[in-house]
Amino acid sequence: MDILKTAIAGTVESSDCLVTVEPGSGTIELDLDSSVMRQFGRQIRKVIFETLGRLDVSNVKITVVDKGALDCTIKARVECAVYRANEMKDNLPWGDVIV
Amino acid sequence: MKNAVGREIPDDILRALGKEPFQGNNYKNGVPFRRVAPIIHPVMDNQHSKLVKDIHEALVKCKAHSGMTVSFHHHFREGDLIVNMVMEEIHKMGLKNITLAATSLGKAHDPLVPMIEDGTITRIEASGVRGMIGRTISEGKLKGLAIMRSHGGRVRSLMTGETKVDIAFIGAPTSDDYGNLRGIGGKTNCGVLSYSHIDGDQAEYVVAITDCLVPFPNFPAHISMTKVDYVCVVDAIGIPEKIATGAAKPTTDQRKLMMAEYCTQVVVNTPYFKDGFSYQTGVGGASIASTISLTRIMEERGIKMGFGVGGLTKPMCDLLDRGMVRVLMDTQAFDLDTVSNVINPAHHRISAGAYANPFNKGAFVNKLDYVILASLEVDVHFNCNVVVGSDGVITGAQGGHPDTAQGAKCTIVICPLLQGRIPAICSEVTTVTTPGESVDVVVTDYGVAVNPNRHDLLEALRKADCVPLKTIEELRDIAYSITGEPDPVEFEDRVVGIIEARDGTIMDVVRQIKKCDPKE
């Protein structure tokens, strides 16, 4: 999937994260800021890349401000931001690439 | 060398401090020692005035010098103005290498950070450190070590002479011109002066700082004129609304209420819950809620408490007012209701030494049936960490945690399974403050774990079938299944802090945090 326009999902409340996706310059460019970077930075990065991979997004500038969100939350926020960037609101592929 | 909680204590630290690694709770039980006596500057001349015009004069008269140790109490909590006021004057005088031996330090003391960076303060001894000073220590900016002691452990270290206080500054809500000090009667009341009793006994010089000078004699004195060298009157010793806040509103957080209910069920279904039982609890939402739900069951069963002790709150004072507890023993007043409740004749003030000192002939904590505590982390060995955050940065204080946990017959730690994404029940705590041998029951929102060494408690709770029992490993596994297993925090080699056990042995060390840019 391409990123057609800038889109955001999430909040900066505790246990949530704010994900911003923008059209990229040919690669995945991740800017991650996390309150639990020391313990979970590696794992958060992995979830973001896995989710983007599943959505077949390879050209994006993605900014994540994490406030201790669980993996399921991070995944949901990334998916939501990507679909919003494509203005997809209906017929989302539940059970397919959104697992 | 590995100590009794499996922590590696570097030999050079043991050598430099002349200390032993922690060897178990009762290692020093019955081991005799000689109490160190202080130097005293007697006052015989009836023309002698103890009043000084400002902090500077007090410092000069007490022969303030580089390398000295100064002490303070934390009864004014986040409203304290005394520590900063005195340290600023010391800084202005250009003194260096000061050991700051406060009973605790908090966010109110953030302005001291530049004095750590410029070598004015090079060593800190305290129950713990909240706020920016903690981060500064963890980043390795304190030249010497930070030594974190429990409230009882601090009294011990002054008695044994391990901590030699040159000048003790005691903020006093009221004082007369001869240094009779009280925790009440002024503009900025804190109720009790428990933490400073030992400083009055052991420091070479004692300076009372007050903003309310009253006629002689200010009696009954909580700290006597016989221990005070000078009295300094200043405009304000504290910010009243930050010293003691209004009583905490009972929590409506369902998770906390559930843990409170589990905690109450544990208390009422274990054998010590009978008429005359003793109890201590904290100021957290779940602790206060459990005191309230416990009261209900006490009323139903006609059971009264013998004594309540510790840092006290309104729900404990309510018990006293309603005749549900015989006496309260107060070392710290956490809210305004407690400050004003000290006029009740059954509400007694006790020193931090009587409360928790392991090196006297028996402290109040030894007579506790139940203590309800909180913890940042609990590991599968039941070790608790209340000082160092899961990110490796010093962020809390031992307080009376290790003292009461060892003393009480049934030590209950309330700890939500997760703090945000951080699993509070984990394989190994970041830093051990209270050893697992002191901890009997861990209450979480996902179930209750009993220390396997306490067959008796486990049996009692099994029979009562009152709470969802889990093993501590099961709780850890649930936590990790939700958050993922955290990566270990990375540290440098340099030791920046010592977690001292109650008896002066070393429980754990705190290392300098590795630089980690939160943005990568």
Side-chain angles (χ1 to χ4, degrees):
Chain A
M1 251 193 298
D2 289 329
I3 302 299
L4 303 180
K5 58 167 201 172
T6 299
I8 65 170
T11 71
V12 286
E13 295 291 317
S14 179
S15 300
D16 199 352
C17 62
L18 180 66
V19 175
T20 309
V21 294
E22 297 163 71
S25 42
T27 56
I28 296 177
E29 188 189 333
L30 169 62
D31 182 359
L32 172 63
D33 180 352
S34 172
S35 60
V36 291
M37 188 66 92
R38 288 176 191 274
Q39 302 97 316
F40 289 105
R42 189 183 52 80
Q43 203 167 320
I44 294 167
R45 211 168 288 119
K46 186 164 155 257
V47 170
I48 294 169
F49 278 103
E50 273 174 10
T51 308
L52 290 173
R54 228 174 325 98
L55 299 175
D56 201 21
V57 175
S58 55
N59 181 12
V60 61
K61 180 176 184 312
I62 179 166
T63 307
V64 178
V65 181
D66 168 62
K67 299 291 177 187
L70 297 175
D71 286 353
C72 52
T73 309
I74 297 168
K75 180 173 145 293
R77 295 306 190 194
V78 171
E79 288 165 350
C80 182
V82 168
Y83 285 115
R84 279 178 178 166
N86 283 275
E87 287 190 7
M88 278 176 66
K89 290 173 186 167
D90 307 309
N91 300 320
L92 297 176
W94 295 108
D96 183 22
V97 294
I98 305 181
V99 286
Chain B
M1 189 195 267
K2 267 209 171 129
N3 68 8
V5 287
R7 294 291 159 140
E8 185 64 43
I9 312 298
D11 289 337
D12 56 325
I13 291 287
L14 293 169
R15 260 195 314 274
L17 294 170
K19 285 187 168 292
E20 296 174 87
F22 177 66
Q23 325 242 336
N25 268 345
N26 287 323
Y27 176 56
K28 299 277 185 184
N29 183 51
V31 178
F33 74 102
R34 186 179 296 278
R35 179 176 184 154
V36 167
I39 293 170
I40 288 171
H41 304 266
V43 174
M44 298 168 69
D45 178 358
N46 68 0
Q47 296 301 305
H48 177 88
S49 166
K50 291 190 184 180
L51 285 173
V52 291
K53 68 175 194 298
D54 52 24
I55 305 283
H56 179 80
E57 189 186 349
L59 284 163
V60 171
K61 285 198 159 162
C62 295
K63 307 201 167 46
H65 56 276
S66 289
M68 69 176 172
T69 297
V70 290
S71 78
F72 302 90
H73 69 66
H74 73 288
H75 284 292
F76 300 142
R77 300 169 68 214
E78 291 300 347
D80 178 69
L81 295 174
I82 300 269
V83 177
N84 295 348
M85 184 191 303
V86 172
M87 289 313 302
E88 263 160 39
E89 190 55 44
I90 287 174
H91 188 245
K92 239 189 266 170
M93 290 166 74
L95 304 180
K96 297 280 176 191
N97 291 323
I98 304 296
T99 296
L100 174 57
T103 57
S104 203
L105 293 167
K107 293 189 183 83
H109 308 116
D110 284 355
L112 300 184
V113 168
M115 297 185 208
I116 293 170
E117 289 169 345
D118 76 4
T120 304
I121 300 165
T122 51
R123 194 175 144 109
I124 288 176
E125 300 184 18
S127 162
V129 191
R130 298 188 168 89
M132 281 308 295
I133 300 180
R135 176 161 290 278
T136 304
I137 296 168
S138 280
E139 286 172 353
K141 290 177 185 160
L142 183 71
K143 206 170 132 207
L145 286 169
I147 300 190
M148 266 80 72
R149 298 190 171 97
S150 68
H151 291 329
R154 176 177 192 271
V155 178
R156 170 199 48 76
S157 82
L158 267 83
M159 275 175 71
T160 60
E162 192 181 315
T163 302
K164 188 193 157 293
V165 175
D166 293 293
I167 314 174
F169 294 89
I170 302 180
T174 53
S175 171
D176 58 35
D177 65 351
Y178 227 47
N180 288 301
L181 314 182
R182 279 162 67 77
I184 52 173
K187 306 186 268 188
T188 33
N189 296 328
C190 54
V192 299
L193 292 171
S194 308
Y195 294 121
S196 285
H197 287 218
I198 190 66
D199 301 74
D201 289 339
Q202 297 293 100
E204 178 169 349
Y205 289 101
V206 176
V207 178
I209 303 179
T210 189
D211 54 10
C212 186
L213 194 68
V214 296
F216 181 90
N218 185 27
F219 245 63
H222 303 161
I223 290 179
S224 164
M225 63 188 183
T226 59
K227 297 168 180 178
V228 175
D229 293 272
Y230 297 104
V231 176
C232 181
V233 182
V234 297
D235 292 338
I237 53 174
I239 304 164
E241 59 274 19
K242 289 187 178 173
I243 293 171
T245 51
K249 283 206 186 92
T251 182
T252 54
D253 179 334
Q254 292 304 313
R255 188 168 74 147
K256 286 182 185 161
L257 287 173
M258 184 169 71
M259 291 192 290
E261 185 53 32
Y262 289 166
C263 178
T264 297
Q265 286 303 319
V266 170
V267 170
V268 303
N269 287 294
T270 40
Y272 314 110
F273 184 65
K274 50 185 187 226
D275 201 45
F277 77 104
S278 58
Y279 180 82
Q280 176 174 344
T281 187
V283 286
S287 305
I288 287 179
S290 80
T291 306
I292 295 167
S293 61
L294 182 65
T295 310
R296 214 176 46 234
I297 297 182
M298 287 166 65
E299 277 171 330
E300 279 166 21
R301 302 196 192 171
I303 288 176
K304 287 182 181 172
M305 208 181 275
F307 73 88
V309 64
L312 297 176
T313 55
K314 181 173 187 289
M316 292 296 287
C317 297
D318 287 347
L319 284 180
L320 184 65
D321 292 339
R322 292 167 50 198
M324 303 279 293
V325 56
R326 193 160 57 82
V327 285
L328 292 180
M329 316 309 288
D330 191 341
T331 59
Q332 190 177 7
F334 281 119
D335 54 42
L336 291 167
D337 296 80
T338 309
V339 171
S340 55
N341 191 266
V342 294
I343 54 167
N344 186 324
H347 185 145
H348 300 281
R349 299 175 185 85
I350 56 170
S351 68
Y355 168 53
N357 175 15
F359 273 25
N360 62 26
K361 298 179 184 181
F364 267 99
V365 294
N366 300 358
K367 301 293 275 180
L368 268 173
D369 290 321
Y370 295 97
V371 64
I372 318 296
L373 297 166
S375 189
L376 295 170
E377 297 172 329
V378 183
D379 68 21
V380 292
H381 318 290
F382 287 84
N383 296 324
C384 292
N385 165 30
V386 295
V387 173
V388 181
S390 301
D391 58 356
V393 177
I394 297 170
T395 189
Q398 293 207 34
H401 202 283
D403 302 310
T404 53
Q406 181 180 354
K409 294 188 185 73
C410 179
T411 298
I412 302 171
V413 174
I414 301 183
C415 187
L417 194 73
L418 310 178
Q419 305 269 17
R421 191 177 180 155
I422 304 296
I425 311 297
C426 54
S427 298
E428 293 283 342
V429 290
T430 310
T431 309
V432 182
T433 41
T434 298
E437 69 169 294
S438 297
V439 177
D440 301 312
V441 182
V442 177
V443 171
T444 75
D445 40 349
Y446 284 75
V448 174
V450 179
N451 190 325
N453 293 331
R454 293 303 302 266
H455 301 289
D456 54 334
L457 298 179
L458 188 57
E459 260 328 289
L461 293 176
R462 251 197 210 128
K463 240 170 76 188
D465 193 23
C466 54
V467 287
L469 289 170
K470 298 256 177 7
T471 67
I472 191 83
E473 289 84 4
E474 283 171 336
L475 289 176
R476 185 258 332 255
D477 292 345
I478 297 170
Y480 285 8
S481 75
I482 298 169
T483 65
E485 189 170 341
D487 289 334
V489 172
E490 289 183 69
F491 293 96
E492 305 283 351
D493 283 339
R494 190 189 157 214
V495 171
V496 295
I498 303 291
I499 306 288
E500 218 178 74
R502 298 183 70 205
D503 62 6
T505 58
I506 299 185
M507 185 66 73
D508 208 342
V509 296
V510 184
R511 291 175 193 275
Q512 185 174 330
I513 193 83
K514 228 180 205 155
K515 276 212 175 75
C516 168
D517 190 353
K519 253 181 128 109
E520 280 180 24

